[in-house]
Amino acid sequence: MREPDGPGREAGPASQQGMRRANLALVLRVVSRAPRSRAEVAAESGLTRAAVSSLAEELIAAGLVVEEGPAAPSGKVGRPGTALGLNPDGPAGLGAEIGVEHLGACVVDLRGEVRAWRRQEIRNRGRQPAAVMADLAELLRRAVADAGLRPAGLALAVPGLVGADGALLRRAANLGWRDVAAVAELRLALRAANAEELAELPLRADNEANLGGLAELWLGDGPGHFLHVSAEAGVGSAIVVDGRLLRGARGYAGELGHVPVHPEGPRCACGAHGCLEQYAGESAVLRAAGLEGVRGDWVALLAERAEAGDEEVRAALGGAGAALGIAAAGAVNLLDPAEVVLGGGYARLAPWLLPAMRAELTARVTVRPWSDERLTVSRLGRRGPLLGAAVGVVRSLLADPGRLEEP
């Protein structure tokens, strides 16, 4: 799901209805920072107290806002007003994830708290989309039942290129899929699972690396300019510039996994030679570690063996780190991000990837001297894409609460 443009960037309202929707979003932005009395909302938003009272009643009726009790003392004479806050039992964000080796579902409330989290380990490589969507629909149905909240929308994280319309998965090489109508397939699966209400939700698909990068932007501790590099089966990245995701002309920006690091290297599933994925992706690292063909959670396996002192595994991870450093150095020279953030499976493997990455970045970054402090590790790790999907739904709702009224 596309991230909202943010405060002050929406088109100017052309009608009273547009102005009302903009003001509803403005009130929500104020109370989302911390509970506020109506008077405090008026002072911070620039709206009149009468307008805030009217808008607050609409938001309460829509289930987006609740009265939390007396507001914190302001130091002014008189009884404190009633504090308004986001409703933890109001509309929720629903996220879904298709991985090569897993499926995921997540529900977050308006305050961004995770209310349900389900993950199913299942090998999806080579499976038909309809079968994968059927399993995912059941997982989503269970997650919504766990949370007991009403989703306002659904976002799907997928390991591949998604068209600008957020509906068509054009290519997911590690799944073996091409030109899959992901949104339509998931709607059909939800209906077959007797989850008609979920099938009718606003629904978009997005690349898992994009959603992982957005989660880092929204929930992480870093700056608004960074390159987020992540891995599951393949290698992906998200480019965040000035607090916004850089998508490119067709929505395909960030395919770091298919940047050639050794042009004469092995042929990649994408058809090119020497791609980063051939040195730092799941299959490549397992092969270098002497674990080719091993099933299960490859990240956990490599981390456990590296922690135990397995030199072959440590050498394989060092080689992957060097390849990552080469690719990241090119991106740093081109984009000049404030940080390079390791996320996804790489966050768990960071202790053995970082030394070689730092060495390559130091040797190759020429736009300015490289500082090791600019290479960081995401605290979200492998949870990033699914969190990004669910939180993105909530952020879109808070940016335009009036869309709840739309058919």
Side-chain angles (χ1 to χ4, degrees):
M1 182 166 291
R2 307 288 189 203
E3 73 277 20
D5 286 344
R9 296 186 183 178
E10 53 276 278
S15 65
Q16 277 192 322
Q17 181 73 0
M19 179 68 77
R20 184 185 68 84
R21 289 177 71 154
N23 287 339
L24 286 169
L26 178 57
V27 172
L28 273 180
R29 282 198 292 274
V30 173
V31 302
S32 69
R33 293 193 286 267
R36 295 283 192 271
S37 69
R38 287 168 173 78
E40 290 170 327
V41 173
E44 293 186 34
S45 66
L47 300 170
T48 67
R49 292 184 65 170
V52 169
S53 292
S54 174
L55 294 165
E57 293 308 312
E58 288 190 53
L59 293 170
I60 290 170
L64 293 166
V65 166
V66 291
E67 294 184 319
E68 297 190 349
S74 64
K76 297 181 180 179
V77 176
R79 191 171 63 184
T82 301
L84 301 172
L86 295 179
N87 183 2
D89 297 320
L94 178 58
E97 183 179 15
I98 297 173
V100 176
E101 301 284 348
H102 74 278
L103 297 172
C106 171
V107 180
V108 300
D109 64 26
L110 289 175
R111 299 179 181 182
E113 298 294 325
V114 175
R115 301 290 290 272
W117 186 279
R118 282 185 173 259
R119 180 181 170 103
Q120 179 183 354
E121 303 299 327
I122 183 169
R123 189 171 178 83
N124 294 315
R125 192 191 306 268
R127 295 180 73 203
Q128 289 300 307
V132 174
M133 295 298 184
D135 288 336
L136 181 60
E138 182 60 24
L139 202 66
L140 286 165
R141 190 185 64 78
R142 292 178 182 177
V144 171
D146 291 344
L149 300 177
R150 176 173 60 88
L154 170 58
L156 171 63
V158 291
L161 298 177
V162 179
D165 62 356
L168 180 66
L169 175 57
R170 296 197 176 275
R171 187 182 74 218
N174 290 308
L175 289 174
W177 294 1
R178 183 180 289 272
D179 293 331
V180 173
V183 166
E185 290 273 7
L186 183 51
R187 289 197 194 280
L188 286 173
L190 287 165
R191 292 191 175 100
N194 296 317
E196 186 67 32
E197 288 187 5
L198 302 185
E200 296 300 324
L201 291 172
L203 169 58
R204 292 187 70 89
D206 204 345
N207 174 266
E208 62 172 355
N210 283 345
L211 290 170
L214 286 171
E216 188 67 25
L217 173 66
W218 297 331
L219 306 174
D221 305 315
H225 296 262
F226 62 90
L227 173 69
H228 184 267
V229 184
S230 59
E232 280 302 327
V235 181
S237 73
I239 304 162
V240 174
V241 179
D242 194 23
R244 294 177 63 82
L245 181 69
L246 179 65
R247 292 185 176 274
R250 294 180 298 164
Y252 300 156
E255 281 294 295
L256 192 71
H258 297 291
V259 168
V261 293
H262 299 296
E264 304 304 318
R267 187 177 180 84
C268 181
C270 73
H273 287 266
C275 295
L276 173 62
E277 214 163 273
Q278 294 303 301
Y279 301 91
E282 173 190 2
S283 297
V285 180
L286 288 175
R287 183 169 57 251
L291 299 171
E292 189 172 14
V294 172
R295 297 290 180 88
D297 188 337
W298 68 283
V299 171
L301 173 64
L302 290 172
E304 289 166 6
R305 295 212 175 188
E307 286 167 351
D310 188 317
E311 292 300 326
E312 192 171 11
V313 168
R314 290 187 173 191
L317 291 172
L324 283 165
I326 294 170
V332 169
N333 283 329
L334 181 66
L335 302 168
D336 189 27
E339 289 184 2
V340 175
V341 183
L342 279 186
Y346 287 150
R348 178 81 167 84
L349 300 172
W352 305 282
L353 296 170
L354 288 175
M357 282 193 73
R358 288 175 178 140
E360 293 293 344
L361 284 161
T362 299
R364 296 173 183 274
V365 171
T366 58
V367 291
R368 58 175 170 169
W370 176 257
S371 168
D372 287 348
E373 288 72 27
R374 293 174 62 199
L375 178 58
T376 64
V377 180
S378 171
R379 61 180 177 82
L380 303 178
R382 301 172 87 179
R383 293 165 60 89
L386 194 47
L387 283 173
V391 171
V393 172
V394 169
R395 288 177 62 91
S396 292
L397 177 59
L398 295 180
D400 184 14
R403 73 183 182 87
L404 282 178
E405 302 171 355
E406 297 173 352

